[in-house]
């Protein structure tokens, strides 16, 4: 359905704020305007849940997670950035594959099946968006995705 993304995203983050471990802080960098996108809200909620859960899971004690939306003319760019262990450059694409888990030794004790990001990729693409990762080992990870903006209604109509 047609959804104003910023308002919707605030709602998602509010829900995480109630459950997030105390030592982790969520920082919102969301623009003021209205950004209408077409969403299957249940599916987009799963996308954001998977990405934000990872950011929490792979954050260090006292880590900050930055949730950002930027306007890129024909689409919005959504990013979720953490200060965790990071991901090696040669594995940045593999993490979107089913059952892939980077650094088995480190991630094994954190649990999971390696499906979260594969599902997120499938669902973002179903929304005609793209998803990718940026990371510096030891510094943190950002997961970014785009969503096409709906044609803005002309003023006065
Ligand atoms: P699941 O989500 O199914 O519970 P998972 O978290 O291991 O398990 P994905 O969410 O698909 O699986 O992530 C795949 C792998 O990518 C993870 O095992 C981890 O190695 C790496 N990864 C994902 N997000 C991050 C992050 N924010 N920081 C560091 N590594 C990450
Ligand atoms: Mg996961």
């Amino acid at each position: 359905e047609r959804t104003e993304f910023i308002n919707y995203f605030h709602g998602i983050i509010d829900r995480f704020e109630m459950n997030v471990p105390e030592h982790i802080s969520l920082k919102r960098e969301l623009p003021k305007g209205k950004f209408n996108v077409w969403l299957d809200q249940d599916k987009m909620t799963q996308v954001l849940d998977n990405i934000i859960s990872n950011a929490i899971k792979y954050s260090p004690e006292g880590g900050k997670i930055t949730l950002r939306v930027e306007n890129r003319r024909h689409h919005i760019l959504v990013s979720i950035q953490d200060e965790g262990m990071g991901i090696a450059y040669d594995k940045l694409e593999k993490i979107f594959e089913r059952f892939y888990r980077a650094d088995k030794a480190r991630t094994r004790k954190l649990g999971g099946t390696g499906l979260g990001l594969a599902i997120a990729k499938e669902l973002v693409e179903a929304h005609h968006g793209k998803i990718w990762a940026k990371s510096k080992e030891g510094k943190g990870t950002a997961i970014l995705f785009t969503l096409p903006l709906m044609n803005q209604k002309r003023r006065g109509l």
Side-chain angles (χ1 to χ4, degrees):
E1 60 250 54
R2 189 186 187 99
T3 305
E4 198 288 299
F5 192 82
I6 303 301
N7 185 45
Y8 160 82
F9 198 24
H10 273 299
I12 299 279
I13 303 168
D14 288 344
R15 179 163 53 74
F16 269 96
E17 291 277 16
M18 296 190 288
N19 299 300
V20 80
E22 240 180 280
H23 64 91
I24 290 184
S25 60
L26 304 182
K27 180 166 182 240
R28 306 178 199 215
E29 291 188 1
L30 308 180
K32 283 274 149 56
K34 292 203 188 310
F35 298 95
N36 291 317
V37 293
W38 181 89
L39 292 186
D40 180 323
Q41 287 197 8
D42 288 350
K43 291 182 173 154
M44 186 50 54
T45 298
Q46 207 185 332
V47 169
L48 291 165
D49 281 356
N50 290 354
I51 297 172
I52 299 170
S53 308
N54 281 347
I56 293 170
K57 179 156 95 170
Y58 300 110
S59 273
E61 189 79 15
K64 178 178 76 188
I65 297 171
T66 306
L67 305 115
R68 187 179 293 128
V69 174
E70 291 166 66
N71 180 9
R72 292 289 164 88
R73 212 169 148 86
H74 295 298
H75 57 260
I76 52 172
L77 176 63
V78 182
S79 62
I80 291 97
Q81 187 167 358
D82 65 54
E83 300 177 330
M85 61 181 80
I87 301 166
Y89 186 75
D90 59 317
K91 291 172 181 153
L92 281 180
E93 290 184 12
K94 291 208 173 82
I95 60 169
F96 295 100
E97 291 171 11
R98 274 163 199 276
F99 306 116
Y100 183 82
R101 309 195 69 214
D103 197 342
K104 303 277 186 296
R106 245 182 341 187
T107 53
R108 192 175 39 211
K109 62 175 189 290
L110 293 169
T113 54
L115 278 173
L117 288 178
I119 292 167
K121 179 177 160 75
E122 189 172 301
L123 297 178
V124 165
E125 288 173 355
H127 285 80
H128 306 288
K130 291 191 165 81
I131 186 167
W132 67 97
K134 282 186 188 171
S135 184
K136 277 219 172 85
E137 268 188 288
K139 293 253 166 113
T141 302
I143 303 291
L144 306 96
F145 67 89
T146 60
L147 288 174
L149 279 164
M150 290 182 85
N151 290 335
Q152 302 297 315
K153 272 194 198 137
R154 262 177 259 143
R155 227 191 278 266
L157 286 179

